[in-house]
């Protein structure tokens, strides 16, 4: 099978999905809410920074932007991914893809790239805030770069988890709720470490929690173990989704 | 003459849902270039068979072999309601590897064949059920598979579209394509199909050529028309007394002869021979004998009723 054909088919599916997102009000409503909340938070931070001139801009303004993006995506990711498989299962349009030349991996990749595309579009709107700071003389680009890289990796994990859970059901609301619960669980796992006396287990749970892996990116440090964590999470849930799609053959 | 290849074969195909058998040991043999119908009540196992053949559902046991690429149209056509018809067909062509160079002409061809031009630039979500059904058929025609599996493609079609679809399916046969179709419209089966399988509760009551099925029932039709030289009331009484299977006898004088019409419920073989034997015994003088042949509808209803559990 030629790679160009695989690429063309995946691209075709991805574009269809993207057009579908942008032809429905969901993407616009989510984007509007997302940027409004982000802007409102940025404005509050700006007022606080103005009152405390000794505080660093990175700490007071840049880090909160990315913390907020990652937090908001706990809600946005389930809402974006609930359509991908759950809606198609309900409408029975997934059969069209299954009986086409698309492999399960191409379907998964096409769906993933499309939700990632919508997410990147939303994240790209946040460029306005660093740009405003740049106009005021802020120039620590490395922190911005690593923070955006960390955010994309973190959100990619959220999306892949959402795709997997969406592939298990044909109920969109259930898909969104399940994804939200799993993401919150993975986030809160970090807090349970305080109650565990076994250091080995505590370390292990701390590593599993999605909460602890973005911190290094937000201070401009690229940690290999964090990148590996995100990649492993994405690949693990991609594998599970692939198996879930293949369940029709069992 | 060239021997026809088998396009679809199933051997003891079984499917169970939570312990309930949806298909039991289904054996099909559909030749290449043949139009084969799956008949049966709702829940007889038609869609299950088609889904298994299309690779959308695993069988519990048994085998199925398909020689050639499949074009599957489910009962509810899988259409993206937020797309325009032409964009949707382009999308379908691309994911089925239709070469870009020919895709445009192919789309125009199916649009013309199924008269989609009037609503080609409209959103699929705004179209009627019949129009969506036609898009579903167009979608399958677009990538030109060797084997067509069409699950109730005539649902929601107006009479004109029905005739159009019938012509399309006939043309497919001329191109040596194999068509497996499920429908509740027995007239369609009569017009189109070379062979059929009658399913009931997952079991095949009959699978084979249409002609063979009609042959099977040829000498077992429920209505006999006879012209007799002589017919007396006591003969009628004898017939009604001797044969419980006779539902009604009507007669009228036609010149010197009498024409009688015997309606039976044919519960056993050789009934007609025995009735004729009785008439001959009473020296009625049988001048002519004809029987009304069964329609496919009669045969279908009879077979499914007889085997109703």
């Amino acid at each position: 099978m030629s790679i160009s054909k695989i690429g063309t088919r995946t691209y075709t599916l991805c574009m269809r999905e993207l057009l579908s997102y942008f032809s429905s009000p969901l993407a616009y409503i989510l984007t509007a809410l997302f940027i409004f909340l982000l802007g409102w938070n940025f404005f509050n931070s700006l007022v606080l920074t103005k009152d405390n001139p000794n505080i660093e801009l990175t700490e007071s303004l840049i880090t909160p932007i990315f913390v907020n993006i990652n937090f908001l995506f706990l809600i946005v990711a389930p809402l974006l991914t609930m359509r991908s498989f759950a809606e198609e299962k309900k409408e029975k349009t997934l059969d069209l893809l299954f009986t086409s030349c698309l492999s399960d991996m191409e379907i998964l990749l096409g769906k993933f790239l499309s939700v990632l595309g919508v997410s990147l579009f939303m994240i790209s709107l946040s460029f306005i805030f660093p740009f405003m700071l740049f106009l005021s003389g802020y120039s620590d680009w490395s922190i911005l770069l690593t923070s955006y890289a960390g955010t994309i990796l973190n959100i990619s994990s959220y999306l892949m988890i959402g795709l997997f859970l969406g592939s298990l059901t044909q109920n969109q609301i259930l898909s969104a709720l399940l994804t939200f619960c799993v993401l919150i669980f993975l986030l809160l796992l970090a807090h349970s470490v305080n109650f565990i006396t076994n250091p080995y287990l505590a370390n292990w749970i701390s590593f599993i929690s999605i909460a602890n892996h973005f911190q290094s990116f937000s201070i401009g440090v690229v940690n290999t173990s964090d990148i590996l964590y995100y990649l492993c999470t994405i690949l693990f849930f991609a594998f599970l989704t692939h198996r879930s799609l293949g369940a029709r053959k069992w | 003459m060239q021997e026809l290849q088998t396009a679809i074969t199933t051997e003891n195909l079984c499917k169970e849902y939570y312990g309930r058998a949806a298909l039991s040991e289904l054996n099909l043999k559909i030749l290449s270039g043949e139009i084969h119908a799956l008949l049966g009540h709702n829940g007889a196992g038609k869609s299950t068979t088609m889904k298994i053949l299309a690779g959308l559902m695993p069988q519990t046991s048994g085998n199925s072999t398909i020689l050639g690429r499949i074009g599957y149209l489910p009962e509810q056509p899988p259409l993206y309601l937020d797309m325009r018809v032409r964009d949707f067909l382009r999308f379908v062509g691309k994911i089925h590897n239709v070469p870009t160079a020919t895709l445009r002409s192919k789309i125009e061809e199916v649009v013309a064949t199924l008269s989609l031009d009037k609503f080609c630039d409209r959103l699929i979500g705004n179209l009627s059920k019949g129009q969506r059904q036609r898009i579903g058929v167009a979608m399958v025609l677009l990538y030109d598979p060797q084997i067509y599996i069409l699950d109730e493609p005539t649902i929601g079609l107006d009479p004109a579209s029905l005739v159009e679809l019938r012509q399309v399916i006939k043309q497919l046969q001329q191109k040596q394509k194999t068509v497996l179709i499920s429908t509740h419209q027995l007239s369609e089966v009569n017009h189109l199909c070379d062979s059929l399988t009658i399913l009931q509760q997952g079991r095949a009551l009959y699978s084979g050529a249409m002609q063979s099925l009609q042959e099977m029932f040829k000498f077992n039709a429920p209505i006999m028309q006879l012209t007799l030289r002589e017919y007396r009331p006591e003969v009628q009484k004898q017939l009604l007394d001797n044969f419980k299977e006779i539902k009604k006898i009507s007669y009228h004088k036609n010149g010197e002869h009498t024409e009688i019409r015997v309606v039976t419920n044919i519960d056993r073989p050789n009934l007609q021979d025995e009735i004729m034997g009785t008439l001959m015994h009473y020296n009625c003088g049988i001048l002519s004998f004809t029987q009304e042949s069964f329609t496919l509808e009669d045969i279908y209803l009879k077979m499914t009723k007889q085997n109703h559990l």
Side-chain angles (χ1 to χ4, degrees), chain B residues 64-86:
Chain B
S64 60
T65 314
I66 292 166
L67 295 180
R69 193 174 167 192
I70 299 171
Y72 171 59
L73 176 66
E75 197 176 337
Q76 182 191 331
L79 309 173
Y80 290 115
L81 305 185
D82 56 356
M83 289 183 98
R84 290 178 196 283
V85 178
R86 207 181 287 273

Side-chain angles (χ1 to χ4, degrees), chain A residues 78-102:
Chain A
L79 293 175
L80 283 179
T81 53
M82 70 180 185
R83 294 187 52 169
S84 297
F85 288 114
E87 188 187 25
E88 292 232 27
K89 273 189 168 185
K90 192 172 179 232
E91 300 296 328
K92 303 199 187 302
T93 45
L94 210 50
D95 288 354
L96 172 69
L97 306 182
F98 285 153
T99 53
S100 72
C101 299
L102 284 160

Side-chain angles (χ1 to χ4, degrees), chain A residues 5 8-9 12-13 16-17 20-21 23 83 88 90-102 111 247-250, chain B residues 15 51 54-59 69-70 72 74 76-83 88 90-92 94-97 139 143:
Chain A
K5 272 189 177 173
T8 309
R9 289 193 299 259
T12 304
L13 178 62
R16 195 223 87 76
E17 292 286 312
S20 172
Y21 274 112
S23 64
R83 294 187 52 169
E88 292 232 27
K90 192 172 179 232
E91 300 296 328
K92 303 199 187 302
T93 45
L94 210 50
D95 288 354
L96 172 69
L97 306 182
F98 285 153
T99 53
S100 72
C101 299
L102 284 160
K111 296 270 182 189
R248 70 182 187 279
K249 297 171 191 163
W250 300 349
Chain B
K15 177 71 188 172
K51 276 183 187 168
L56 291 171
M57 188 186 270
Q59 62 264 40
R69 193 174 167 192
I70 299 171
Y72 171 59
Q76 182 191 331
L79 309 173
Y80 290 115
L81 305 185
D82 56 356
M83 289 183 98
F88 174 73
R90 197 173 298 128
F91 169 73
V92 170
K94 281 183 179 174
I95 62 169
H96 279 93
N97 288 348
M139 171 191 96
Y143 51 90

Side-chain angles (χ1 to χ4, degrees), chain B residues 227-231 253 256-258 283-288:
Chain B
T227 308
L228 306 175
R229 198 183 318 113
E230 196 180 352
Y231 187 65
K253 276 280 196 193
E256 290 184 358
H257 312 306
T258 308
N283 293 319
C284 293
I286 300 170
L287 299 173
S288 72

Side-chain angles (χ1 to χ4, degrees), chain A residues 96-146:
Chain A
L96 172 69
L97 306 182
F98 285 153
T99 53
S100 72
C101 299
L102 284 160
S103 66
D104 289 355
M105 192 46 84
E106 289 171 71
I107 295 172
L108 173 59
L109 202 60
K111 296 270 182 189
F112 174 69
L113 290 177
S114 67
V115 282
L116 186 63
V118 180
S119 306
L120 289 178
F121 166 73
M122 291 169 83
I123 294 168
S124 69
L125 296 177
S126 71
F127 288 166
I128 184 86
F129 307 119
F131 182 70
M132 282 162 74
L133 294 177
F134 165 72
L135 294 179
S136 316
Y138 182 80
S139 59
D140 200 345
W141 295 109
S142 60
I143 285 187
L144 275 176
L145 210 68
T146 54

Side-chain angles (χ1 to χ4, degrees), chain B residues 29 34 36 194-198 206-213:
Chain B
K29 195 176 176 189
E34 197 172 70
H36 187 97
D194 309 302
S195 59
L196 83 163
T197 298
I198 299 178
Y206 174 83
S207 190
M210 281 279 288
Q211 220 177 348
S212 311
L213 181 69

